[in-house]
Amino acid sequence: MKKKKGESRMLGGPVYIALLRFALSLAGVIILFSIISEARFGRKKTAVCYFCFSVVLLLFACVWYVIDWESCVRMVAFSMYICFILFALCMSSDPLFLRIYKLALTFYLLAVFLIGGIEVAILFFNGNVWVDIITRSLLIILMVIFIEKKIKSSIREFSYYVENELDRFSAAVMVISILFGIGFILNPSIKEQTPFRIFQILMNFFLTGSLQFLIYRLYLHIGKEKEYQEENQLMQMNHRLLERNMELMEEAAEAGKRIRHDVRHHNMVIAEYACRGQYKELMQYLEEYKEGISGGVPEVICANTAVNNILSAYTRRAKEEQIKVTLEVELDKVLAIPNIDLVTILANAYENAIYGCMEVKKQTKDRECFIYLMIKRKNNKLVIYCSNTCRMETEFKNGQPKPEFTGGIGVSSIIKTAENFDGEYDFKNNNGVFVFRLIMNIPASQENL
């Protein structure tokens, strides 16, 4: 296959020119990939690893260039970037499909500065190799500045959405389509220097870039929509918490009225006993009154007032639905974890447990429904365990029960709150018993509270 004069001259030359071009392209790929991906190791170790990898790879490329120039020109770029792919997959901590997508994006940017440098040098400077090198350097610098200033944070946010929302088949189709587009750009079928060839390259860049942009916008939109749903669920949860608090306040007000009403009668009875000198009967009446008051005192579940109130409200509701409740709660009055976060987790877990039991009651009247809730502190960890009767069939996605199984609320709020304290959690259906487990770190600065 015959090459153009300018292109042939650019691909030849002394070994130090080849080394400079190899090093520039490899450095550009490493920098761009490092910016958009999450490193597995610390910054210093990552830099050392990439440096050692680059030195070995460049020495290999230069030796190959000296020994067999023709095969090196044809295959060295492909070989180097295959090696980089394998190395980069090990250096990134992103999920596998996300790493592959980011590599595809990186190689698209590689195609931009690689083809851009060659075409500028050939079209305007008669294939001057130094123009190619300078153009590549400028394009890499512009890309880095643009990513750092404009889209780095949104790429990280987009990565989170892709990780949580992208299915494996879509990811595979997406990456293959992008790589085919990039491959066509790097190996155009028409080699003659014609306006049509330039138009073909530009259109390939445009179409492949548009595919990247559309994917980015699609999953950014999907992720934002999921966040709106989670916020809506949180609002529903807050509404239910307010309802429970209103119930507690109404019950307290009713209890206060009843106490004030009863006190008048008790005072009249006591006064009547005293007037008649019936002190023995008076003492007996006071003993009965004491027993009546102690019997009506609500059960104290734990020392933490906020947790005690919310558990009391949901326990009362569960018992109204004929659900057997067992509580094993050991909490101090004050905990370093804010009450609002504790209430968010416990209210959602308890609400979902009640919902699961009620769904079982709709299916069959024979199964006995129960809820078991355990909350304990172990050193600097808070352990929460909740199990309840549930339907035998349960659908999970990414290790989480689907919204229709939990009534549409709760799970995302629990996870979001738990992650603020480096929480580890899991959900499972154990033959008709739904189990939720959570371990959270108690902030070290306030462990002594």
Side-chain angles (χ1 to χ4, degrees), residues 97-123:
F97 273 89
L98 193 54
R99 275 178 269 178
I100 294 173
Y101 170 77
K102 289 182 177 180
L103 280 168
L105 174 59
T106 302
F107 286 124
Y108 174 76
L109 298 176
L110 162 71
V112 172
F113 70 73
L114 197 66
I115 299 299
I118 291 175
E119 293 303 322
V120 168
I122 292 175
L123 289 174

Side-chain angles (χ1 to χ4, degrees), residues 121-390:
I122 292 175
L123 289 174
F124 303 108
F125 296 94
N126 196 27
N128 188 300
V129 68
W130 294 108
V131 172
D132 173 34
I133 292 172
I134 293 171
T135 304
R136 289 189 194 189
S137 302
L138 291 175
L139 287 174
I140 292 171
I141 292 171
L142 289 174
M143 289 175 185
V144 170
I145 293 174
F146 179 75
I147 292 172
E148 284 284 352
K149 298 290 185 182
K150 299 294 183 181
I151 61 173
K152 184 176 180 178
S153 59
S154 61
I155 283 179
R156 295 290 173 89
E157 187 179 31
F158 163 74
S159 300
Y160 173 79
Y161 296 147
V162 170
E163 178 184 349
N164 288 276
E165 303 300 330
L166 186 64
D167 63 277
R168 299 297 180 255
F169 177 76
S170 298
V173 172
M174 172 186 70
V175 171
I176 290 170
S177 300
I178 293 171
L179 290 178
F180 269 126
I182 295 170
F184 197 69
I185 290 171
L186 292 175
N187 296 280
S189 58
I190 301 176
K191 294 293 183 180
E192 296 301 321
Q193 185 70 18
T194 64
F196 179 75
R197 176 178 178 276
I198 304 301
F199 174 76
Q200 182 190 45
I201 292 175
L202 291 175
M203 287 305 299
N204 285 334
F205 272 123
F206 173 76
L207 293 175
T208 309
S210 298
L211 176 61
Q212 290 272 8
F213 181 74
L214 289 174
I215 292 168
Y216 171 79
R217 294 294 299 174
L218 171 63
Y219 283 99
L220 203 61
H221 173 75
I222 292 174
K224 291 290 185 184
E225 185 67 25
K226 185 69 176 292
E227 281 192 349
Y228 294 148
Q229 291 176 4
E230 291 176 354
E231 289 175 3
N232 183 51
Q233 291 176 5
L234 190 59
M235 290 175 64
Q236 292 181 38
M237 186 273 295
N238 287 334
H239 176 70
R240 296 195 181 193
L241 289 179
L242 287 173
E243 286 181 341
R244 302 293 169 263
N245 286 329
M246 290 294 293
E247 290 175 7
L248 290 172
M249 292 176 65
E250 288 174 2
E251 289 175 4
E254 288 296 326
K257 289 179 183 178
R258 186 171 60 253
I259 290 171
R260 287 192 296 272
H261 181 267
D262 292 344
V263 163
R264 290 202 311 270
H265 292 288
H266 292 309
N267 288 340
M268 290 174 62
V269 172
I270 292 170
E272 188 65 25
Y273 277 126
C275 289
R276 294 183 180 185
Q278 297 174 327
Y279 299 112
K280 185 177 179 181
E281 289 82 355
L282 175 59
M283 293 302 296
Q284 184 180 353
Y285 177 79
L286 289 175
E287 285 295 327
E288 293 174 357
Y289 180 59
K290 180 181 178 182
E291 291 176 4
I293 291 178
S294 60
V297 173
E299 179 186 3
V300 177
I301 299 174
C302 69
N304 186 290
T305 305
V307 172
N308 187 83
N309 287 342
I310 201 65
L311 293 183
S312 297
Y314 277 104
T315 300
R316 186 165 52 255
R317 182 185 169 198
K319 290 180 177 179
E320 289 173 357
E321 300 290 341
Q322 284 78 51
I323 301 171
K324 182 182 177 182
V325 177
T326 304
L327 299 176
E328 189 178 342
V329 183
E330 297 177 10
L331 275 184
D332 298 330
K333 185 175 183 179
V334 180
L335 198 67
I337 299 173
N339 285 334
I340 184 64
D341 294 319
L342 282 174
V343 168
T344 296
I345 293 171
L346 295 175
N348 278 303
Y350 215 149
E351 182 95 26
N352 293 340
I354 293 173
Y355 178 85
C357 290
M358 292 174 66
E359 286 296 298
V360 170
K361 286 180 173 292
K362 291 178 183 178
Q363 286 187 338
T364 176
K365 303 294 183 182
D366 300 331
R367 287 184 67 189
E368 181 183 7
C369 293
F370 73 89
I371 295 174
Y372 171 74
L373 178 62
M374 185 269 288
I375 310 168
K376 287 186 178 181
R377 173 175 179 166
K378 295 183 178 179
N379 298 324
N380 65 330
K381 305 284 187 181
L382 182 66
V383 181
I384 298 174
Y385 177 94
C386 182
S387 61
N388 61 274
T389 312
C390 69

Side-chain angles (χ1 to χ4, degrees), residues 416-427:
K416 203 166 188 178
T417 305
E419 287 177 346
N420 294 334
F421 300 92
D422 298 322
E424 297 181 9
Y425 52 84
D426 70 347
F427 306 87

